[in-house]
Amino acid sequence: FNVITGIVHETEGSVHLGTADLSNEPPYVIARAGLARTFQNLRIFKNLSVRENVELTSLVAWTYRNGGPSVDDLLEQAGLTALADRPAGTLDYGNQRRLELARAAALAPQYLLLDEPTSGMSDTESLAMVDHVRATAAHLGAGVLVIDHDLGFITRISDHMVVLAEGRILAEGSPAEVRSNPAVAAAYLGSQA
């Protein structure tokens, strides 16, 4: 994700979105091209209100996309309407995660890139995030790429999975195919699995 979103420049290969070559472009150009990401470590503006966090991103999107979902729509989609005027730093962890997703959605991207969106969440919160991510992506008409170690979340959210080990593709297919792959079990659960 760091290479795809321009935080780290590639040393080999290239990054394309459709016909657009995004190789070595800065993050803001890549975001404007239609790739929005979240981070494993939250990147919200803690001293701004929940509404201001989404408004700020929405304002940026408006200047280069001439629209996108409204702030109120995004807050409702995220289940944050009742918390809109609270400082973002006072939200519980699950709501901060949903706020970060709403901020990414405010860019009206073609793809949401989610880096460990369930990191630090309970099993119940993780399962709820599956529905939340799917609903947000459907609302935007966006694709979703996810990096996560929460196998329950990843198999429920994914239509297609790619498993990497030591920088190489180890397995690829449906969640059921990947789960039953002996190489995946050996790499992630040990050879005795």
Side-chain angles (χ1 to χ4, degrees):
F1 279 5
N2 287 341
V3 171
I4 292 170
T5 58
I7 293 171
V8 173
H9 291 293
E10 64 277 355
T11 56
E12 293 182 42
S14 59
V15 176
H16 292 264
L17 180 60
T19 58
D21 184 353
L22 302 176
S23 305
N24 294 309
E25 292 289 352
Y28 73 90
V29 170
I30 293 169
R32 289 177 179 172
L35 299 177
R37 76 167 291 180
T38 64
F39 292 84
Q40 181 177 357
N41 298 320
L42 292 167
R43 302 277 174 99
I44 60 174
F45 298 106
K46 293 183 178 187
N47 293 326
L48 296 180
S49 72
V50 169
R51 175 179 296 283
E52 290 167 335
N53 265 271
V54 178
E55 282 175 340
L56 183 61
T57 307
S58 185
L59 180 61
V60 170
W62 182 264
T63 62
Y64 68 89
R65 287 207 186 237
N66 194 22
S70 73
V71 171
D72 288 332
D73 191 30
L74 291 166
L75 291 173
E76 183 177 336
Q77 179 76 32
L80 297 171
T81 302
L83 305 171
D85 296 322
R86 287 186 52 189
T90 66
L91 297 179
D92 64 71
Y93 188 73
N95 281 323
Q96 286 184 359
R97 281 273 176 210
R98 286 201 311 277
L99 172 57
E100 187 167 56
L101 181 59
R103 285 182 56 224
L107 288 171
Q110 293 178 49
Y111 290 92
L112 289 164
L113 283 67
L114 310 178
D115 188 356
E116 303 265 358
T118 61
S119 176
M121 289 185 158
S122 70
D123 290 341
T124 303
E125 291 171 320
S126 178
L127 289 176
M129 188 59 100
V130 169
D131 294 333
H132 185 67
V133 169
R134 284 189 176 274
T136 300
H139 184 69
L140 296 170
V144 179
L145 299 173
V146 180
I147 295 173
D148 209 304
H149 293 93
D150 180 341
L151 192 56
F153 172 79
I154 212 71
T155 56
R156 285 178 178 87
I157 195 80
S158 300
D159 297 321
H160 184 84
M161 294 174 64
V162 177
V163 178
L164 301 175
E166 298 179 11
R168 300 201 188 288
I169 295 175
L170 182 64
E172 185 173 355
S174 71
E177 291 169 332
V178 168
R179 260 194 144 152
S180 64
N181 186 308
V184 172
Y188 286 93
L189 303 174
S191 59
Q192 298 303 314

